[in-house]
Amino acid sequence: MSRELSDLKKNLKEATAAIAADPLYIEGAWSEPTFTSTEAAIQSMLECLKNNELGKALRQIRECRSLWPNDIFGSSSDDEVQTLLNIYFRHQTLGQTGTYALVGSNQSLTEICTKLMELNMEIRDMIRRAQSYRVLTTFLPDSSVSGTSL
């Protein structure tokens, strides 16, 4: 998932630069129809990402931000690429718990995964040790019981 998202991020950044450099691109002049719901918009964006229509996905995120400000599509101050990555990641990991992805790291993903596995093993061992501890109760003398010695 990390590699897939890293590649998508790189390609989206390139598409953003291409749109910015296009003298014919006019902000707000999209040819796509206005979406009737956020669900329809998300599905359309996911299709664009799947079909490598990244410029279209970027234009759609801009349209959706004007239709639904500060919703799942973020606000105009949020990074469009990051928002699309978040939407894509959520869709790809539906129903899965504990899924994560590292994007944009300078370190090797293999190195990071190895370190995370080591930390996971340490945490697992700590939990096992903690579960094996028994609560020891201390028996204090009960003042209501009188003792006799023979």
Side-chain angles (χ1 to χ4, degrees):
M1 182 57 68
S2 296
R3 190 168 288 118
E4 185 178 347
L5 285 174
S6 291
D7 291 345
L8 182 58
K9 180 179 183 178
K10 180 177 104 20
N11 294 338
L12 282 167
K13 291 279 187 188
E14 290 171 1
T16 301
I19 288 172
D22 185 359
L24 300 176
Y25 176 76
I26 300 168
E27 185 71 36
W30 24 73
S31 60
E32 294 89 14
T34 301
F35 297 107
T36 57
S37 69
T38 57
E39 292 81 12
I42 289 170
Q43 284 305 313
S44 179
M45 281 180 220
L46 290 170
E47 282 298 313
C48 288
L49 294 173
K50 180 180 157 190
N51 297 327
N52 208 30
E53 298 172 324
L54 305 181
K56 186 175 178 183
L58 288 162
R59 287 190 295 277
Q60 287 179 354
I61 196 88
R62 292 173 185 169
E63 178 185 358
C64 290
R65 285 180 172 178
S66 67
L67 292 171
W68 300 286
N70 300 315
D71 202 341
I72 189 171
F73 308 107
S75 66
S76 58
S77 63
D78 294 330
D79 182 22
E80 296 165 340
V81 170
Q82 189 60 49
T83 302
L84 283 168
L85 289 174
N86 290 341
I87 290 169
Y88 183 79
F89 179 76
R90 284 186 205 144
H91 174 74
Q92 293 298 96
T93 59
L94 280 176
Q96 298 177 20
T97 58
T99 306
Y100 61 92
L102 265 74
V103 178
S105 174
N106 292 331
Q107 291 182 302
S108 157
L109 288 179
T110 304
E111 181 184 330
I112 292 169
C113 287
T114 301
K115 186 64 179 169
L116 286 172
M117 292 278 283
E118 289 171 5
L119 291 170
N120 192 23
M121 297 293 274
E122 286 179 35
I123 292 169
R124 188 189 68 189
D125 290 342
M126 285 183 222
I127 291 170
R128 282 186 180 158
R129 272 186 265 141
Q131 288 173 336
S132 70
Y133 289 134
R134 294 185 187 162
V135 178
L136 299 176
T137 56
T138 308
F139 292 103
L140 299 174
D142 190 350
S143 60
S144 65
V145 177
S146 62
T148 57
S149 70
L150 299 170

